[in-house]
Amino acid sequence: MYQSKTGQLFQTLAVGASGGIAGTGLQQAVKKETGVVELQAGPKDSVSHLEFSPASNHLIASSWDGTVTCWDIQATNTQLLAQQSHDGPVLDCAWHSDGTKVFTGSGDKLAKVWDLQSNQTIAVAQHDAAIKTVHWVQGQSYQCLMTGSWDKTLKFWDLRTATPSVQFQLPERVFGADVAWPLAVVITANRGVHCYNLDPLPSHAMQCETLLKHQLRSVSICRDKNTAHPTGFALGCIEGRVAVEFPGGDKRLGLLHL
């Protein structure tokens, strides 16, 4: 069961390795008996990331074919809304907190903001190598775009200026990241795990050790169910294991083999 951020439930939302979403075909179809929603005009290569809007049932998907696509997902109907592109593979995408804009990071070393109402894109960030992660940071006293790159830097961008407001040098290439105010967690090559405190301004909090012995590929921050405050994070690696890490609480460290 998959739930959009507005609460709509779907039994299955599948993404194929070849780029097809929710099945092998690219035509629009809704199979009520199985709960599978199949989307029209899917990307032609592997999907790098997909994410529901925080304000609607819109779904975005970035792809190695250089596109980012937006659909309106309903229980009985789906509609292709728009599509934009980069000059390289789109490695990540993320929503603005108000659901009106989409951020993309690409192998062309650029991050763009896509205004869905005007269907226009503007380059807002640049690195010296491919941009692997993009996240919108909605703080209490500021808001910015966080980008992580294979050039071994993490940058925070005020969209009103052409240069990053804060920049951190990392020992290795960025492979993944997650943000849950006021915490950001970045994973890098060579099993690097870096935690950042975003309040009141971005600062490096700690470099964490992980129980995993192989290359990290994904990270997801977990929150307290009552306060929604971040309490730890889960790490996934190519070995087929997941480690749940709670910095400062070693007794709660766990390891799950998949």
Side-chain angles (χ1 to χ4, degrees):
M1 186 74 72
Y2 196 93
Q3 185 172 14
S4 71
K5 293 183 180 179
T6 57
Q8 187 162 354
L9 295 174
F10 302 96
Q11 182 175 333
T12 306
L13 184 62
V15 182
S18 63
I21 297 184
T24 56
L26 299 181
Q27 74 276 15
Q28 177 177 337
V30 179
K31 301 178 181 178
K32 296 181 181 180
E33 68 276 11
T34 62
V36 175
V37 178
E38 187 170 334
L39 308 179
Q40 60 176 322
K44 297 178 175 61
D45 205 338
S46 297
V47 173
S48 56
H49 184 71
L50 48 77
E51 186 174 315
F52 270 108
S53 165
S56 67
N57 285 326
H58 292 170
L59 174 71
I60 53 172
S62 55
S63 171
W64 280 78
D65 69 359
T67 66
V68 57
T69 309
C70 182
W71 298 269
D72 181 43
I73 309 296
Q74 302 296 332
T76 59
N77 185 42
T78 69
Q79 180 183 0
L80 173 68
L81 297 180
Q83 187 176 79
Q84 286 288 348
S85 63
H86 277 260
D87 291 331
V90 184
L91 304 179
D92 199 14
C93 58
W95 286 96
H96 189 285
S97 57
D98 64 10
T100 65
K101 303 177 186 67
V102 172
F103 300 97
T104 55
S106 171
D108 63 11
K109 308 177 186 179
L110 296 177
K112 295 182 179 181
V113 58
W114 177 17
D115 186 299
L116 292 176
Q117 185 173 10
S118 65
N119 197 26
Q120 299 296 315
T121 63
I122 301 174
V124 293
Q126 185 169 7
H127 283 258
D128 294 329
I131 296 176
K132 182 63 175 69
T133 65
V134 290
H135 289 81
W136 181 248
V137 177
Q138 186 67 47
Q140 297 176 348
S141 59
Y142 72 94
Q143 55 185 12
C144 68
L145 177 67
M146 185 184 87
T147 58
S149 171
W150 290 345
D151 67 6
K152 305 180 185 180
T153 63
L154 181 72
K155 298 181 180 182
F156 294 82
W157 304 82
D158 182 333
L159 300 187
R160 298 169 295 182
T161 64
T163 57
S165 54
V166 181
Q167 177 175 325
F168 298 96
Q169 188 68 41
L170 292 162
E172 260 295 352
R173 294 155 292 160
V174 173
F175 278 0
D178 195 18
V179 172
W181 180 266
L183 174 66
V185 181
V186 178
I187 59 173
T188 69
N190 290 337
R191 301 185 302 115
V193 182
H194 300 265
C195 298
Y196 296 85
N197 184 8
L198 304 178
D199 187 22
L201 292 173
S203 61
H204 188 268
M206 68 176 72
Q207 182 173 352
C208 303
E209 296 290 334
T210 175
L211 297 175
L212 299 173
K213 304 302 181 184
H214 294 267
Q215 183 172 291
L216 301 178
R217 276 302 186 189
S218 58
V219 56
S220 182
I221 295 173
C222 50
R223 300 172 181 261
D224 184 279
K225 66 179 181 180
N226 296 316
T227 66
H229 191 81
T231 57
F233 49 88
L235 301 169
C237 75
I238 61 172
E239 183 190 12
R241 287 190 174 188
V242 173
V244 181
E245 313 271 5
F246 296 89
D250 291 343
K251 290 188 296 184
R252 295 188 292 173
L253 289 176
L255 197 63
L256 175 65
H257 185 73
L258 301 180

